[in-house]
Amino acid sequence: MPGLDAPHQQRQQQAHGKGGDGEAAQHLTDAVRPFARGVSLLWPELLAVDAARRLLAGDLGALATWLAPDLLDVDANDRYGHALLDARRLELELVCATPGPEAPATEAPTGPLAWETHLWQQLARARQGIAGAESLDLRAWPRLHVLTKLFLATRALVLNEPAAAIASAEAASRAAQRAGFLPLAGHGLALWADALLCAGQDAQALAVAGELATLATRTLSARWANEAVLVELFAARQVTPGALERLAQLESVAPVGARRAQALLGGQPALDSVDSSLLAALGPRL
């Protein structure tokens, strides 16, 4: 594409697939934006990178509206572009425990991006207590392998199998870190900490929370930083009304921690099955 060299395009793709540095992602988005005006194949890439950056940073306030399919200026025939944005929309629904309508049954996924969208759907359904598909062997694609492990960990946790959840979540977080998929590593660490807390392994959960906090610092992620704080409070048995009230106000920054804090304060937020499993396990210990 005129005006945008191949290495720059490659870096843009890497920011989407291996993003983790929020500031770098913002710089790349700003650099590419002038070349994505009007009808451009770069436009959905730009939107997807910016959505991934917002998800990581904890800038979720208007993201659901911003990602609404009928508001996106993306060519209706651009299946690749829509698939990119569908994956980010599904990730947002998972994080916020606000599942959209179930997607109609279609043919089996045929490529990595279609599989990624499918796996985000399976993850969201698993967090709502729907068992989902059988185990899949997608090791040929490292990103999909990580998502599969996240799905298996989620399903195991919801089925009250914390040992299996711990193993799969640890495998997901380590594989994501080795491959440089830092946002997925955050998902893995958070789920690993949840599984450890459910199993009563507080010391190990505290160590994983430290890893999540380190990742948050590295990626400038307010979302992961606040999620780590709540895990630390749970693991150290230092939950106080003041700490919960502060976290409960962060719905648009760290929605998982916010809704858990709201529930502990006596509110009635929309919880997913992972939230409910964790709070049920913690109840007698808090």
Side-chain angles (χ1 to χ4, degrees), residues 68-282:
D70 55 342
L71 296 180
L72 292 171
D73 187 18
V74 177
D75 191 317
N77 296 316
D78 184 358
R79 296 180 64 182
Y80 174 80
H82 281 285
L84 274 178
L85 295 164
D86 284 345
R88 298 289 69 77
R89 189 180 304 111
L90 287 162
E91 183 180 2
L92 177 65
E93 291 174 359
L94 180 150
V95 169
C96 294
T98 54
E102 184 177 347
T106 59
E107 65 275 7
T110 56
L113 186 54
W115 270 111
E116 177 169 348
T117 301
H118 174 75
L119 287 169
W120 279 114
Q121 289 173 333
Q122 293 297 316
L123 265 168
R125 287 168 60 80
R127 288 193 73 106
Q128 295 301 320
I130 303 170
E134 68 282 357
S135 177
L136 301 167
D137 186 356
L138 296 171
R139 284 173 290 183
W141 293 305
R143 186 175 176 83
L144 302 185
H145 176 62
V146 172
L147 284 167
T148 301
K149 289 294 185 182
L150 288 174
F151 164 72
L152 293 174
T154 301
R155 185 173 65 176
L157 191 54
V158 170
L159 293 175
N160 195 27
E161 299 172 357
I166 288 168
S168 291
E170 179 180 8
S173 63
R174 297 305 184 219
Q177 289 176 67
R178 286 194 299 272
F181 301 134
L182 299 187
L184 289 183
H187 281 289
L189 289 168
L191 193 56
W192 185 10
D194 287 348
L196 288 165
L197 287 169
C198 284
Q201 299 181 29
D202 292 345
Q204 294 91 328
L206 195 59
V208 173
E211 290 192 45
L212 186 59
T214 298
L215 180 66
T217 299
R218 178 179 176 186
T219 58
L220 304 179
S221 174
R223 178 159 71 96
W224 293 132
N226 284 286
E227 306 291 2
V229 166
L230 188 57
V231 173
E232 290 169 349
L233 293 175
F234 286 156
R237 315 281 180 89
Q238 294 179 349
V239 177
T240 64
L244 291 177
E245 287 171 3
R246 187 189 73 80
L247 289 166
Q249 298 174 23
L250 301 178
E251 289 178 295
S252 63
V253 176
V256 177
R259 63 181 180 257
R260 292 174 179 180
Q262 290 166 7
L264 288 171
L265 288 168
Q268 294 184 320
L271 300 175
D272 64 25
S273 294
V274 173
D275 301 326
S276 298
S277 296
L278 176 65
L279 293 176
L282 288 174

